[in-house]
Amino acid sequence: MERPAWAPRSIDITVPSVSRMYDYYLGGSHNFEVDREAARKALEFMPGLPKIMQANRAFMRRAVRFAAGEGITQFLDVGSGIPTFGNVHEVAQAASPGARVVYVDHDPVAVAHSQAVLEGNDAADIVAADLRKPQEILGSPQVERLLDLNRPVALLLVAILHFVEDADDPYRAVAELRDALAPGSLLVLTHASYEGIPLPPERAAGAVDVYKDIRNPLIMRSREDIARFFEGYDMVEPGLVPPPLWRPETTPQDEDPYAFSGFAGVGRTA
């Protein structure tokens, strides 16, 4: 397989990546044939995956505008992925000029492309780090330069926690990040679940198995388990709901049924 000019030499282009599969679902071009092959296998079981990803992105943009409307000008997006149109810094800085954004991802392709996209933007940067190691994120030069943790921050964990297995204690990681943030900070979160998927669970499980096969297990948690990530936060109305139902700007009934898969919510620290 020929290595594209944009692909960092350090990455193995024969191994699928969930962030590059996500890029493929969204119609992006920064993915390899191995990513597309894995994504097509998942689509055989769950053809609405692109609609799910689009609903996640649409929720993220609404939540960022909500945060800006609440006076928050600092954003920490962990598991940010490969940049696409309407990314956090574009939405935040359009709503609140001067807003500061730090992205975090451990995929070298996502990091490299974020660096290229953010070149010349002194109010946004990216950290190469892993959600499972919160102190590496919080202690990074990028966070220290751009974010004042004594003031409210919007922490985004969009479509990332379902890739953290229980053995890695995602609740601890989320709590560590929460405890480092000032009162009035927001948690913006989406998470995959079998609840809401317009398919029999055994068929949806076929797509989940594709991620297991590429050693990036997709953990489908219940609504109750997802709500636990908001411990220490007061839920913002309308609470933890399918993405299209969180403060919609268009009629939710017009959405594709797959868009209602999983849950989205925003919480605020006291």
Side-chain angles (χ1 to χ4, degrees), residues 52-170:
I52 296 174
M53 310 309 173
Q54 290 163 17
N56 268 263
R57 298 288 297 178
F59 159 77
M60 177 273 290
R61 290 190 287 268
R62 295 197 305 278
V64 168
R65 286 193 288 268
F66 168 79
E70 294 290 295
I72 291 181
T73 60
Q74 304 186 107
F75 297 82
L76 178 60
D77 183 1
V78 182
S80 51
I82 295 169
T84 58
F85 175 75
N87 237 32
V88 172
H89 72 282
E90 295 171 329
V91 179
Q93 291 172 354
S96 179
R100 294 171 174 265
V101 178
V102 176
Y103 293 110
V104 180
D105 208 285
H106 65 83
D107 185 313
V109 171
V111 173
H113 281 285
S114 296
Q115 289 171 335
V117 167
L118 298 174
E119 187 173 359
N121 188 333
D122 294 334
D125 208 341
I126 182 153
V127 179
D130 193 312
L131 170 62
R132 293 169 292 188
K133 299 177 180 178
Q135 296 309 315
E136 290 186 6
I137 297 171
L138 296 167
S140 67
Q142 296 91 333
V143 167
E144 292 182 352
R145 178 176 73 87
L146 285 173
L147 304 184
D148 178 359
L149 299 184
N150 294 311
R151 294 173 47 240
V153 173
L155 168 63
L156 286 85
L157 299 175
V158 175
I160 179 64
L161 285 164
H162 46 236
F163 291 115
V164 184
E165 297 181 80
D166 289 339
D168 290 319
D169 200 354

Side-chain angles (χ1 to χ4, degrees), residues 193-228:
S193 176
Y194 284 121
E195 297 177 45
I197 296 176
L199 286 174
E202 58 272 17
R203 182 165 178 80
V208 173
D209 287 343
V210 171
Y211 285 88
K212 184 178 180 180
D213 290 344
I214 65 171
R215 299 182 181 179
N216 280 285
L218 180 59
I219 312 302
M220 305 291 271
R221 295 187 172 96
S222 67
R223 185 183 186 282
E224 181 180 2
D225 287 339
I226 296 167
R228 285 181 54 204

